[in-house]
């Protein structure tokens, strides 16, 4: 599932081709991806609109238009892509939204499982959307104090709290597993019992890992592709995720796995993580 590094990569890849361009011909294959907007209203708002900016918020891509922000939430298998040539049949099969640009390139939101969602927000809608989300972990202005305050008030497992988008955004299952291993914290530990030292390590490691994953253009196991259609490379650097039963790279113990924390797979080293 695309988390912060994957969405950041897609946004960086499609941004140059979109900036300053107009959407000329907008086609939507399915309406079930729309939230709070109808197909006619979305197509009317996009057609002829000029792209002023393309950014990321949390795990979502945001296309800034004059009147609206068009928010693309990739969900499980969503991809933001740019094509400078006609799409092949296999490529157009899962293209949920296609928009031809003034330059002749084509912007595509592709989503195999169609769990992703598309939102069209006016200024007030954007403010409400933005307010409901926690701070950005890579914001240079985010302090360890604010990070800690956002997480430590909960008695839920630290892994669940780290993935709670109202407390801190962008971290999903892959990077929560990795950050907790790197910080030496047991993923099932209640957030309020993690020490201040533990939060300082978790803050540092979460930022380091997210940045390293962006530098590697994200993690690809199955469907995720960059905005140019290439797989990412961070799967080669993962320490625990998808390594259950293999040896801990730090101490040699066999890594454990559980689904008990949040129904998703948690992989951890019971010796290194306390
Ligand atoms: Zn270990």
């Amino acid at each position: 599932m695309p988390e912060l590094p994957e969405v950041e990569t897609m946004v960086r890849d499609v941004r140059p081709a979109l900036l300053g361009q107009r959407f000329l011909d907008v086609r939507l294959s399915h309406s079930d991806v729309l939230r709070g907007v109808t197909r006619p209203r979305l197509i009317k708002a996009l057609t002829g609109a000029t792209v002023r900016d393309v950014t990321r918020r949390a795990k979502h891509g945001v296309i800034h238009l004059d009147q609206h922000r068009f928010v693309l939430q990739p969900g499980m298998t969503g991809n933001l892509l740019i094509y400078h040539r006609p799409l092949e049949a296999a490529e157009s099969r899962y293209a949920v939204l296609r928009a031809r640009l003034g330059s002749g390139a084509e912007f595509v939101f592709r989503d195999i499982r169609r769990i992703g969602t598309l939102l069209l927000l006016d200024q007030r809608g954007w403010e409400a959307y933005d307010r409901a989300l926690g701070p950005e972990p890579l914001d240079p202005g985010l302090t360890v104090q604010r990070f800690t305050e956002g997480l430590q008030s909960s008695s839920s497992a630290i892994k669940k709290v780290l993935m709670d988008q109202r407390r801190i955004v962008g971290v999903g299952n892959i990077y929560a597993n990795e950050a907790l291993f790197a910080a030496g914290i047991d993923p099932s530990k209640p957030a309020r019992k993690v020490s201040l030292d533990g939060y300082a390590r978790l803050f540092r490691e979460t930022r380091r890992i997210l940045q390293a994953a962006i530098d590697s253009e994200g993690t690809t196991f199955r469907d995720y592709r960059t905005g140019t259609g290439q797989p990412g490379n961070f799967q080669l650097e993962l320490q625990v995720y998808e390594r259950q039963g293999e040896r801990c790279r730090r101490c040699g113990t066999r890594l454990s796995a559980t689904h008990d924390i949040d129904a998703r797979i948690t992989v951890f080293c019971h010796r290194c993580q306390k």
Side-chain angles (χ1 to χ4, degrees):
M1 156 180 314
E3 303 179 27
L4 185 154
E6 290 75 35
V7 179
E8 180 70 28
T9 300
M10 292 190 278
V11 163
R12 288 182 185 187
D13 284 348
V14 301
R15 190 172 187 270
L18 282 171
L19 272 187
Q21 292 293 318
R22 290 176 73 197
F23 290 127
L24 297 184
D25 171 27
V26 181
R27 282 175 288 167
L28 186 71
S29 71
H30 295 80
S31 298
D32 55 0
V33 296
L34 303 180
R35 293 289 177 279
V37 61
T38 61
R39 171 196 294 261
R41 201 172 145 250
L42 178 73
I43 290 184
K44 183 164 183 266
L46 293 183
T47 305
T50 301
V51 176
R52 299 303 178 190
D53 204 356
V54 186
T55 58
R56 177 193 56 75
R57 178 74 170 107
K59 302 182 211 171
H60 313 143
V62 184
I63 296 179
H64 303 236
L65 308 169
D66 286 324
Q67 306 295 329
H68 297 99
R69 293 197 205 204
F70 179 37
V71 178
L72 303 102
Q73 306 184 333
M76 289 285 287
T77 54
N79 259 255
L80 281 62
L81 293 156
I82 286 284
Y83 291 90
H84 295 280
R85 53 165 175 78
L87 273 71
E88 292 166 14
E91 293 166 337
S92 58
R93 182 163 175 216
Y94 298 109
V96 176
L97 180 119
R98 297 175 64 165
R100 195 167 302 287
L101 306 172
S103 62
E106 193 165 6
F107 172 69
V108 173
F109 179 70
R110 175 176 176 271
D111 193 351
I112 294 170
R113 290 180 60 183
R114 265 197 350 266
I115 296 169
T117 49
L118 304 178
L119 286 72
L120 184 72
L121 303 174
D122 60 14
Q123 187 57 30
R124 268 185 67 183
W126 167 257
E127 284 165 13
Y129 156 94
D130 183 61
R131 226 179 4 252
L133 292 167
E136 288 286 339
L138 295 179
D139 176 356
L142 180 65
T143 62
V144 65
Q145 286 78 13
R146 187 164 172 225
F147 174 81
T148 303
E149 284 163 16
L151 272 60
Q152 73 177 166
S153 58
S154 173
S155 52
S156 294
I158 183 65
K159 184 190 172 214
K160 282 173 84 167
V161 176
L162 183 60
M163 291 168 61
D164 181 345
Q165 302 297 298
R166 294 166 300 182
R167 295 176 182 272
I168 188 86
V169 300
V171 180
N173 201 37
I174 296 174
Y175 299 106
N177 274 292
E178 293 296 309
L180 288 162
F181 173 76
I185 298 170
D186 175 352
S188 66
K189 192 171 200 168
R192 65 181 155 76
K193 291 198 171 164
V194 174
S195 68
L196 289 179
D197 270 2
Y199 276 113
R201 291 196 306 275
L202 186 59
F203 178 66
R204 192 174 64 235
E205 294 299 337
T206 299
R207 291 187 8 147
R208 180 185 64 78
I209 288 166
L210 292 173
Q211 188 57 56
I214 292 172
D215 295 343
S216 295
E217 301 195 299
T219 300
T220 296
F221 283 111
R222 282 177 295 272
D223 302 306
Y224 162 70
R225 293 292 180 273
T226 70
T228 58
Q230 303 302 308
N233 288 303
F234 197 69
Q235 61 276 12
L236 306 172
E237 295 173 50
L238 297 173
Q239 301 296 308
V240 287
Y241 187 78
E242 293 263 312
R243 293 196 65 239
Q244 54 272 28
E246 294 178 44
R247 301 260 177 213
C248 171
R249 294 203 170 115
R250 198 173 285 164
C251 76
T253 304
R254 278 199 195 284
L255 296 173
S256 309
T258 176
H259 286 83
D260 289 347
I261 297 175
D262 56 7
R264 281 174 267 205
I265 191 152
T266 301
V267 186
F268 62 102
C269 175
H270 66 82
R271 255 177 93 182
C272 292
Q273 293 176 256
K274 301 289 181 193

